[in-house]
Amino acid sequence: MELFNKILIANRGEIAVRVARTAQEMGIKTVAVYSDLDRDALHVRVADEAYALGGSTAQESYLNTKKILEILDRSGADALHPGYGFFSENAAFARSITEAGVTFIGPPPEAIEIMGDKISSRAAAQRAGVEGVPGTQKAISDYEEIVTFGETHGWPVAIKAAYGGGGRGMRVVNSKEEAKDALESAMRESEKAFGRSECYLERYLTWPRHIEMQVFADSHGNGVWIGERDCSSQRRHQKLIEEAPAPNFPEETRVKMGEAAVKVALACGYQNAGTVEFLYQDGEFYFLEMNTRLQVEHPVTEMVTGLDLVEWQILIAAGNPLPLSQSQIERRGSAIEVRVNAEDPSGGRFLPSPGTIAKFIRPDGPYTRTDTGYESGDTVSQFYDNLVAKIVVWSDTRAKAIRRMVRALKETEIEGISTTIPAHLAILGNSEFQEVKHSTKWVETKAGLESLTLNPLPNALQGNEEVEKTQVVAEVNGKRVSVDLYLPKFESPTRNAPASTRTKQRQKNASTQGHRSAGAGGSGQVTVPMQGTVVKVLVEVGQEVEVGQTLLVLEAMKMENSILSERSGTVKEVRVSAGDTVGTGDTVIVIE
């Protein structure tokens, strides 16, 4: 069957680059779309054609259905690939594409409606004979429902976005006192990330592993499972490290889980790529949700199978049958992927770190792959997801794959922003991770990242605000060595300097020093450690506050972050309001 002539990729960043490359290898022209902030982005440079969406935020640009439909018509594209995130699991968007006479490279809108909605997907899985974690069968509308559920099933309880994934809009509620604020926060974050605010409840398991199964189905009634991935290394309910196959995972359970995943897919008339997610604990697995799209971590499955999953997506969307039957799919060795995010992992806080990448050197070597949407000189914006790159390695054993990943991460150089690479190295070097004793809660509770610091100063210089660490290379008796120097910091630009210059200096200072806390400054000058938008101010002038109290909520990179007080006292000034945009280092509240 003939393939498409031109594919519009309704996304940005590394996934847009990833899809474009496979399409071009298949002889298909590619069309990129871009916001005002992404005019010169890598995905724009890679595509054969590019069209402006306008706007800066996701709502103004990549979530603008009308504009995307206009560009589809102008470009003459006969297919659209949604990538992941944005519109990838939006049935109304998929339907608008097919109604325009363009092929949507993904499941039918009807399947997205069933499985893209996490509530109805639980019901569909149950009808297919696959049991899930105890939870609600409808969207919740009031925090009292959380209290009732928690008192019935036990605390903690998980609030989850009904139309999302990737941990966006998820909150863990440990008691009834937390219920109201947690629901409000989850609904706000879900609305901004997915355009829908509905949430549902689930029992929160104590020490589970997150295992997901890659499935494919075609329009001829065939379905297969490609293999599973272990995604248990998470923070803020978002994945940090993924691997295939799942380690210490019985083959009998693997087969049963794969068969269950195919049952779930076929029961809803599914087509194209999908991922059925499970929680695995004490030898049992429970259906969690189905992601009706390509996953961020699909490269580890490609590495162990030798298959191009984007190519499979395009072939199936064009009406072709599955390229392989279940018995023909083979898996070899072990693959690991780490997500290099623009976050400062100091103290295990993982604070967003948007900014311009001054230098980016990728790792190289055997069986080493880097998927990225950025190069040196590109800017990671506060308005979008903070994924900078995915580094993926393969080896014949898991132990060798871990060593290969450590080598690759040490080769990677990224300057200008903080990244999660130090956290990845700490996790990979931890014996509990190596011995597969971790779970979805391990990174935040037992991995020891609370002691992680970036650019630490010697003990004698701790607390000295006037010095910073600089690394230089020298020769000593003919031997090349790296030396750490502790030099006076550069003076900040004067108040008369352009705003852009002051912002760049703030970013540089934050990048060099590392963020001390979410609130910054026991001096009473409460500053923000990242660019973002104020969502909610929780205090007012004259109010008494305590150490650790949340002062305001800041949204950055599609995530909400609580800014905490580092001292007790009285609020003297509140310099921001909800909706204000702030920059790294800006003082937002003064406490005396």
Side-chain angles (χ1 to χ4, degrees), residues 508-526:
K508 179 182 177 184
N509 290 343
S511 169
T512 304
Q513 299 173 37
H515 306 310
R516 294 185 198 87
S517 80
S523 64
Q525 300 284 325
V526 180

Side-chain angles (χ1 to χ4, degrees), residues 200-347:
Y200 68 101
L201 299 177
E202 221 171 53
R203 177 189 161 206
Y204 196 58
L205 297 182
T206 56
W207 200 253
R209 286 169 62 188
H210 184 133
I211 312 289
E212 60 186 31
M213 188 64 65
Q214 179 71 65
V215 297
F216 266 88
D218 60 24
S219 57
H220 305 275
N222 305 307
V224 295
W225 57 276
I226 306 282
E228 87 286 357
R229 300 180 284 256
D230 189 316
C231 309
S232 301
S233 296
Q234 305 178 6
R235 88 281 177 250
R236 291 184 171 182
H237 317 297
Q238 296 180 62
K239 302 160 188 173
L240 277 171
I241 299 177
E242 300 103 352
E243 48 185 320
N248 290 4
F249 192 60
E251 179 63 23
E252 180 182 0
T253 304
R254 177 178 292 111
V255 173
K256 287 182 178 179
M257 183 180 286
E259 292 173 346
V262 173
K263 281 183 183 178
V264 169
L266 295 181
C268 67
Y270 200 84
Q271 294 174 28
N272 217 274
T275 301
V276 183
E277 303 197 351
F278 299 90
L279 290 180
Y280 174 69
Q281 182 173 294
D282 301 326
E284 300 291 335
F285 62 84
Y286 306 90
F287 173 81
L288 185 61
E289 63 186 29
M290 183 174 187
N291 289 311
T292 56
R293 54 172 166 81
L294 193 68
Q295 291 282 92
V296 178
E297 56 273 19
H298 74 273
V300 290
T301 300
E302 294 183 326
M303 294 286 259
V304 298
T305 61
L307 304 174
D308 184 332
L309 301 189
V310 174
E311 180 184 23
W312 273 45
Q313 283 192 293
I314 294 171
L315 289 171
I316 291 169
N320 293 282
L322 288 170
L324 298 175
S325 65
Q326 189 67 66
S327 62
Q328 292 174 311
I329 297 170
E330 298 180 356
R331 293 168 290 277
R332 293 180 56 251
S334 180
I336 298 175
E337 171 183 297
V338 303
R339 300 192 191 190
V340 179
N341 297 299
E343 297 177 23
D344 181 351
S346 297

Side-chain angles (χ1 to χ4, degrees), residues 472-494:
V472 297
V473 176
E475 285 188 9
V476 180
N477 295 328
K479 181 180 180 181
R480 186 180 186 279
V481 295
S482 294
V483 181
D484 292 336
L485 299 181
Y486 299 90
L487 304 174
K489 292 180 181 176
F490 292 108
E491 291 294 323
S492 298
T494 66

Side-chain angles (χ1 to χ4, degrees), residues 444-467:
E444 294 179 322
T445 61
K446 293 191 176 182
L449 299 186
E450 62 276 2
S451 61
L452 187 66
T453 57
L454 302 187
N455 299 323
L457 297 176
N459 289 336
L461 298 176
Q462 290 290 339
N464 189 335
E465 300 269 340
E466 304 303 320
V467 298

